[in-house]
Amino acid sequence: MAQTYTPATHKPASALACLSLASMLLAAAGSAGAATLSVGPGKTYVAPCAAIMAAKDGDTIEIVGDWTYSGDVCAITHNNLTIRGVQGRPVIDAAGQQHGGKGIWVVIGNNITVENVEMLGAKVRDGNGAALRLEGTNFTLRRAFIHDNENGILANPNKNSDILIEYSEFGHNGGGTGQTHNLYIGQAKSLTFRYSYSHDAVIGHDLKSRATTNMIAYNRFSSTPPGKPGSTASGKPSYEIDLPNGGTSYIIGNVIEQPAINDNSNIVAYAEEGPSNPGQDLYVINNIFLNDFTSGMFLMISNKVTTPALIQNNTFAGPGTVTSQSNAILKDNHRMEKAGFVDRMGLSLRPLVNDVVLKAGPAADPWSSGVDMKAPGAKGHATESHSR
């Protein structure tokens, strides 16, 4: 039976004779502050933005899935909201609409969590529309599919904000100018991007972050060959990962592929706009890099970065130079001009067992550089993609 949201009500006065009016008001206020608002056919709210506008700080909004909500755009102004799809994944299609010249959902409130939604179609007059425009402090996205927007996520500068994105897919976002991306994170306090799949950016980057600290772990970055079925159309990305201002950054356990059709032969770029973030330390550990282009640079690091990058226990497959940094610390990496994997096209990226691979293991603990092996999610060498 469909459930609807019912506002909190007072019990009869006769049942509460021993309580003061002040106690009743406090109880009602507490109940209202933890409400769940239901959205969808037959629910209290027919579209997400109606519930978003009616919500109070701390509420949960549940959106019935397997349903498309067209042209439903708005600002999220309250704090501590959880917005999630239930009974399937709801589709939020801009359908030619936008809010404030910015996109579909403009997140102004703090501590917002969005889960299990699909969002597409964000376009605005200045060509910088986003499915999610982040303007508040602290944001979490889980199990989402963000595709075919001018920007997937566009986060305004906010040096107090921690951004967490996990178990999500970003594909074919970008307006074709090179200034729009699958994800663009401004000067945040931190970005954690993990267990996700970012692919087929349209001229822009699959991930761009100016955050002071970046943890990019156990993801897949790649593109769909033209003519091959995929969750989105093929793209033509520039960098797979771009960290233009440096920062303390960890790239750990990812599969990072440079497609044969691309807009820049560098795969990962670090501080190419100058190392203006406080930290200049880069850790690239336990990744598989694949270059399907005829040449390239796996790790392009600005010559203004003086701290040596730690590049350890990675596999670099295909043509190209490992790094532009002359003093980088390279340990226990495996270089293959021709990729020798069990099923390269199927992304089963276990190296074929041979004498070279058997002798390519680390001679020492790759975490001895000071990275805490007990950190959440820490594990060994990436061997499979993390597509959703």
Side-chain angles (χ1 to χ4, degrees), residues 172-208:
H172 208 251
N173 299 287
T177 63
Q179 304 300 312
T180 51
H181 315 281
N182 272 351
L183 301 98
Y184 179 20
I185 308 301
Q187 287 91 349
K189 179 181 178 182
S190 72
L191 168 68
T192 299
F193 185 76
R194 62 190 182 189
Y195 314 127
S196 294
Y197 176 29
S198 185
H199 60 100
D200 292 294
V202 183
I203 304 300
H205 309 313
D206 281 335
L207 172 61
K208 180 172 183 175

Coordinates of all heavy atoms in Angstrom, one line a residue, residues 172-208:
H172 N 29.5 11.1 -20.3 CA 29.2 11.9 -21.4 C 28.6 13.3 -21.0 O 27.7 13.8 -21.6 CB 28.1 11.2 -22.3 CG 28.2 11.6 -23.7 ND1 27.2 12.4 -24.3 CD2 29.1 11.4 -24.7 CE1 27.5 12.6 -25.6 NE2 28.6 12.1 -25.8
N173 N 29.2 13.8 -19.9 CA 29.0 15.2 -19.5 C 30.0 16.1 -20.2 O 31.1 15.8 -20.4 CB 29.0 15.4 -18.0 CG 28.0 14.5 -17.3 OD1 26.8 14.8 -17.4 ND2 28.5 13.4 -16.7
G174 N 29.6 17.3 -20.5 CA 30.5 18.3 -21.1 C 29.8 19.0 -22.3 O 29.0 18.4 -23.0
G175 N 30.0 20.3 -22.4 CA 29.4 21.0 -23.5 C 30.3 21.1 -24.8 O 29.9 21.8 -25.7
G176 N 31.4 20.5 -24.8 CA 32.3 20.5 -25.9 C 33.3 21.6 -26.0 O 34.0 21.7 -27.0
T177 N 33.3 22.5 -25.0 CA 34.2 23.6 -25.0 C 35.6 23.3 -24.3 O 36.5 24.1 -24.5 CB 33.6 24.8 -24.2 OG1 33.4 24.4 -22.9 CG2 32.2 25.2 -24.8
G178 N 35.6 22.2 -23.6 CA 36.8 21.9 -22.8 C 36.8 22.6 -21.5 O 37.7 22.3 -20.6
Q179 N 35.8 23.4 -21.2 CA 35.6 24.1 -19.9 C 34.6 23.4 -19.0 O 34.3 23.9 -17.9 CB 35.3 25.6 -20.1 CG 36.3 26.3 -21.0 CD 37.7 26.3 -20.4 OE1 37.9 26.6 -19.3 NE2 38.7 26.0 -21.3
T180 N 34.0 22.4 -19.5 CA 32.9 21.7 -18.7 C 33.3 20.2 -18.7 O 33.9 19.7 -19.6 CB 31.6 21.8 -19.4 OG1 31.7 21.5 -20.8 CG2 31.1 23.3 -19.3
H181 N 32.9 19.5 -17.6 CA 33.5 18.2 -17.3 C 32.4 17.3 -16.7 O 31.4 17.7 -16.3 CB 34.6 18.4 -16.3 CG 35.5 19.6 -16.6 ND1 36.5 19.5 -17.6 CD2 35.6 20.9 -16.2 CE1 37.2 20.6 -17.7 NE2 36.6 21.5 -16.9
N182 N 32.8 16.0 -16.6 CA 32.0 15.0 -15.8 C 31.9 15.5 -14.4 O 30.8 15.5 -13.8 CB 32.6 13.6 -15.8 CG 32.2 12.8 -17.0 OD1 31.3 13.2 -17.7 ND2 32.9 11.7 -17.2
L183 N 33.0 15.9 -13.8 CA 33.0 16.5 -12.4 C 34.0 17.6 -12.3 O 35.1 17.4 -12.8 CB 33.4 15.5 -11.3 CG 32.5 14.2 -11.2 CD1 33.2 13.0 -11.9 CD2 32.4 13.9 -9.7
Y184 N 33.6 18.7 -11.8 CA 34.5 19.8 -11.5 C 34.3 20.3 -10.1 O 33.3 20.9 -9.7 CB 34.3 21.0 -12.5 CG 35.2 22.2 -12.3 CD1 36.4 22.1 -11.6 CD2 34.8 23.4 -12.8 CE1 37.2 23.2 -11.5 CE2 35.7 24.5 -12.7 CZ 36.9 24.4 -12.0 OH 37.7 25.5 -11.9
I185 N 35.3 20.0 -9.3 CA 35.3 20.4 -7.8 C 36.2 21.6 -7.7 O 37.4 21.6 -8.0 CB 35.8 19.2 -7.0 CG1 35.0 17.9 -7.3 CG2 35.7 19.6 -5.5 CD1 33.6 18.0 -7.1
G186 N 35.6 22.7 -7.1 CA 36.4 23.9 -6.9 C 37.3 23.8 -5.7 O 37.5 22.7 -5.2
Q187 N 37.7 24.9 -5.1 CA 38.6 24.9 -4.0 C 37.9 24.4 -2.7 O 37.7 25.2 -1.8 CB 39.2 26.3 -3.8 CG 40.2 26.6 -4.8 CD 39.6 27.4 -6.0 OE1 38.4 27.5 -6.1 NE2 40.4 28.0 -6.8
A188 N 37.7 23.1 -2.6 CA 37.1 22.5 -1.5 C 38.2 22.1 -0.4 O 39.4 22.1 -0.8 CB 36.3 21.2 -1.8
K189 N 37.7 21.8 0.8 CA 38.7 21.3 1.8 C 39.2 20.0 1.4 O 40.4 19.7 1.4 CB 38.0 21.3 3.1 CG 38.9 20.7 4.3 CD 38.1 20.7 5.6 CE 38.9 20.1 6.7 NZ 38.1 20.0 8.0
S190 N 38.2 19.1 1.0 CA 38.6 17.7 0.5 C 37.6 17.1 -0.4 O 36.4 17.5 -0.4 CB 38.8 16.8 1.8 OG 37.5 16.5 2.3
L191 N 38.1 16.3 -1.3 CA 37.3 15.4 -2.2 C 37.7 14.0 -1.9 O 38.9 13.6 -2.0 CB 37.5 15.8 -3.6 CG 36.9 14.8 -4.6 CD1 35.4 14.8 -4.6 CD2 37.5 15.0 -6.0
T192 N 36.7 13.2 -1.6 CA 36.9 11.7 -1.7 C 36.0 11.2 -2.8 O 34.8 11.3 -2.8 CB 36.5 11.1 -0.3 OG1 37.3 11.6 0.7 CG2 36.7 9.6 -0.4
F193 N 36.7 10.6 -3.8 CA 36.0 10.0 -5.0 C 36.4 8.5 -5.0 O 37.6 8.2 -5.3 CB 36.4 10.7 -6.2 CG 35.7 10.3 -7.5 CD1 34.4 10.8 -7.7 CD2 36.3 9.5 -8.4 CE1 33.7 10.4 -8.8 CE2 35.6 9.1 -9.6 CZ 34.3 9.6 -9.8
R194 N 35.5 7.6 -4.7 CA 35.8 6.2 -4.6 C 34.7 5.3 -5.1 O 33.5 5.7 -5.2 CB 36.1 5.9 -3.2 CG 35.0 6.1 -2.2 CD 35.4 5.9 -0.8 NE 34.3 6.1 0.2 CZ 34.4 6.2 1.5 NH1 35.7 6.2 2.0 NH2 33.4 6.2 2.3
Y195 N 35.2 4.1 -5.6 CA 34.3 3.1 -6.0 C 33.3 3.5 -7.1 O 32.1 3.1 -7.2 CB 33.4 2.5 -4.8 CG 34.2 2.2 -3.6 CD1 33.9 2.7 -2.4 CD2 35.4 1.4 -3.7 CE1 34.6 2.4 -1.2 CE2 36.1 1.1 -2.5 CZ 35.7 1.6 -1.3 OH 36.5 1.4 -0.2
S196 N 33.8 4.4 -8.0 CA 32.9 5.0 -9.0 C 33.5 4.8 -10.4 O 34.6 4.3 -10.6 CB 32.7 6.5 -8.7 OG 32.0 6.7 -7.5
Y197 N 32.7 5.2 -11.4 CA 33.1 5.0 -12.8 C 32.8 6.4 -13.5 O 31.7 6.8 -13.6 CB 32.2 3.9 -13.4 CG 32.3 3.6 -14.9 CD1 33.5 3.8 -15.6 CD2 31.2 3.1 -15.5 CE1 33.5 3.5 -16.9 CE2 31.3 2.8 -16.9 CZ 32.4 3.0 -17.6 OH 32.5 2.7 -18.9
S198 N 33.9 7.0 -14.1 CA 33.7 8.2 -14.8 C 34.3 8.0 -16.2 O 35.5 7.6 -16.3 CB 34.5 9.4 -14.1 OG 34.2 10.6 -14.7
H199 N 33.5 8.4 -17.2 CA 33.9 8.0 -18.6 C 33.3 8.9 -19.6 O 32.3 9.6 -19.4 CB 33.5 6.6 -18.9 CG 32.0 6.3 -18.8 ND1 31.1 6.3 -19.9 CD2 31.2 6.1 -17.7 CE1 29.9 6.1 -19.5 NE2 29.9 6.0 -18.2
D200 N 33.9 9.0 -20.8 CA 33.4 9.6 -21.9 C 33.0 11.1 -21.8 O 32.0 11.6 -22.3 CB 32.1 8.8 -22.4 CG 32.5 7.5 -23.0 OD1 33.1 7.4 -24.0 OD2 32.1 6.5 -22.3
A201 N 33.8 11.8 -21.0 CA 33.6 13.3 -20.9 C 33.7 13.9 -22.4 O 34.5 13.4 -23.2 CB 34.7 13.9 -20.0
V202 N 33.0 14.9 -22.6 CA 32.9 15.5 -23.9 C 33.9 16.7 -24.0 O 33.6 17.8 -23.6 CB 31.5 16.0 -24.3 CG1 31.4 16.5 -25.7 CG2 30.5 14.8 -24.1
I203 N 35.1 16.4 -24.4 CA 36.3 17.3 -24.5 C 36.9 17.6 -23.2 O 38.1 17.7 -23.0 CB 35.9 18.6 -25.3 CG1 35.3 18.2 -26.7 CG2 37.1 19.5 -25.5 CD1 36.3 17.4 -27.6
G204 N 36.0 17.8 -22.1 CA 36.5 18.1 -20.8 C 37.2 16.9 -20.1 O 37.5 15.9 -20.7
H205 N 37.3 17.0 -18.8 CA 38.0 16.0 -18.0 C 37.0 15.0 -17.4 O 35.9 15.4 -17.0 CB 38.9 16.6 -16.9 CG 39.8 17.7 -17.4 ND1 40.5 17.5 -18.6 CD2 40.0 18.9 -17.0 CE1 41.3 18.6 -18.8 NE2 40.9 19.5 -17.8
D206 N 37.4 13.8 -17.2 CA 36.6 12.8 -16.4 C 36.5 13.2 -15.0 O 35.5 12.9 -14.3 CB 37.1 11.4 -16.6 CG 36.7 10.8 -18.0 OD1 35.7 11.2 -18.5 OD2 37.4 9.9 -18.5
L207 N 37.5 13.8 -14.4 CA 37.5 14.3 -13.0 C 38.5 15.5 -13.0 O 39.7 15.3 -13.3 CB 37.9 13.2 -12.0 CG 38.1 13.7 -10.6 CD1 36.8 14.3 -10.0 CD2 38.6 12.5 -9.7
K208 N 38.0 16.6 -12.5 CA 38.8 17.8 -12.2 C 38.6 18.3 -10.8 O 37.4 18.5 -10.4 CB 38.5 18.9 -13.2 CG 39.4 20.1 -13.0 CD 39.2 21.1 -14.2 CE 40.1 22.3 -14.0 NZ 40.0 23.3 -15.2

